[in-house]
Amino acid sequence: MTIQGTGTARPAGRPRSEKAERAIIEATLDLIAEGMGVSELSIEAIASRAGVGKTTIYRRWSNKEDLVVDALATLKAPLPPLAGVSVREDLITLLDAMRADSGNRRGRCVMNIAMSEADRHPRLTERFVERAVEPRRRALREVLERGVATGELRPDLDVTLAMAILSGTMMWQSKWGPGDLPEDLAERVVDMVLAGMAPPAA
């Protein structure tokens, strides 16, 4: 995240600044997890929970929605590195990252509450999608398009539909599946989907 400075601000990365940021982010997530929707959430409540002044928050975030976007983004692990050797392995890596994200029950609760107000806060939703969702979509699309180019996947593959099938299955499992998703879920999903996306036998 970008830390906005003031005339006498410390350089970014100083321990006290990092500690305050962590406290603010955690306070935001805690309040949402406790059932406080984005509309009810206030800078005053966040500051009180984090043990900081409101000015400390406003030095870093110009408004509540920007803070919530940054807080929600911390619930998503960084994109895992892809080996680039095979489409199957890269798809498993990407889907397993989704499985790992869904294993964070607090994070899942926070995300459900925050996203339930998407219609009331379209800018927040748009920025969160751009920040945390689009990079994953791009990575998934690039892997599938590479598979078509290398002949690992059928030449007439509908890449957009394939993306929906892969990510949608993982999302369904995280919402409606067992509490703890099996560690081999990504591999099983990929293998089943690839059976229908493989090129025709020669």
Side-chain angles (χ1 to χ4, degrees), residues 2 6 9-10 12 16 19 22 30 35 50 64 70 72 74 96 101 111 117 122 131 140 154 164 168 180 193 196 202:
T2 300
T6 63
R10 302 179 193 83
R16 186 191 292 183
K19 183 178 180 180
R22 284 197 301 271
D30 283 345
K64 177 180 69 175
D70 280 351
L72 294 179
T74 66
D96 197 55
D101 279 345
M111 201 68 68
E117 297 187 74
R131 170 91 175 268
L140 186 56
R154 56 192 307 155
D180 295 319
V193 174

Side-chain angles (χ1 to χ4, degrees), residues 87-97 186-187 190-191:
V87 167
R88 178 181 181 272
E89 292 305 316
D90 286 352
L91 289 177
I92 290 173
T93 298
L94 289 172
L95 265 62
D96 197 55
E187 183 175 0
V190 168
D191 284 343

Side-chain angles (χ1 to χ4, degrees), residues 25-171:
I25 291 291
E26 287 302 312
T28 303
L29 295 175
D30 283 345
L31 289 169
I32 296 174
E34 291 167 10
M36 184 177 290
V38 175
S39 297
E40 292 75 30
L41 192 65
S42 68
I43 294 296
E44 290 80 3
I46 296 168
S48 176
R49 176 65 65 92
V52 301
K54 289 192 296 182
T55 55
T56 302
I57 295 178
Y58 282 120
R59 286 192 192 108
R60 293 159 172 79
W61 294 276
S62 59
N63 57 65
K64 177 180 69 175
E65 288 191 346
D66 287 346
L67 169 53
V68 172
V69 168
D70 280 351
L72 294 179
T74 66
L75 299 174
K76 295 288 187 181
L79 270 173
L82 303 178
V85 176
S86 77
V87 167
R88 178 181 181 272
E89 292 305 316
D90 286 352
L91 289 177
I92 290 173
T93 298
L94 289 172
L95 265 62
D96 197 55
M98 294 180 66
R99 181 193 63 82
D101 279 345
S102 71
N104 181 342
R105 296 186 182 184
R106 170 180 178 251
R108 214 163 56 212
C109 173
V110 168
M111 201 68 68
N112 288 340
I113 293 172
M115 291 298 102
S116 69
E117 297 187 74
D119 290 344
R120 299 176 66 181
H121 300 278
R123 179 174 174 272
L124 184 155
T125 305
E126 180 182 342
R127 289 200 57 225
F128 175 73
V129 168
E130 178 183 345
R131 170 91 175 268
V133 178
E134 279 302 327
R136 288 160 172 77
R137 285 179 179 166
R138 284 196 299 271
L140 186 56
R141 177 176 290 278
E142 288 168 3
V143 171
L144 292 171
E145 289 178 344
R146 190 187 80 219
V148 172
T150 60
E152 293 174 80
L153 302 177
R154 56 192 307 155
D156 61 346
L157 179 69
D158 185 330
V159 172
T160 300
L161 183 57
M163 291 170 60
I165 292 170
L166 288 162
S167 58
T169 302
M170 295 301 294
M171 291 172 64

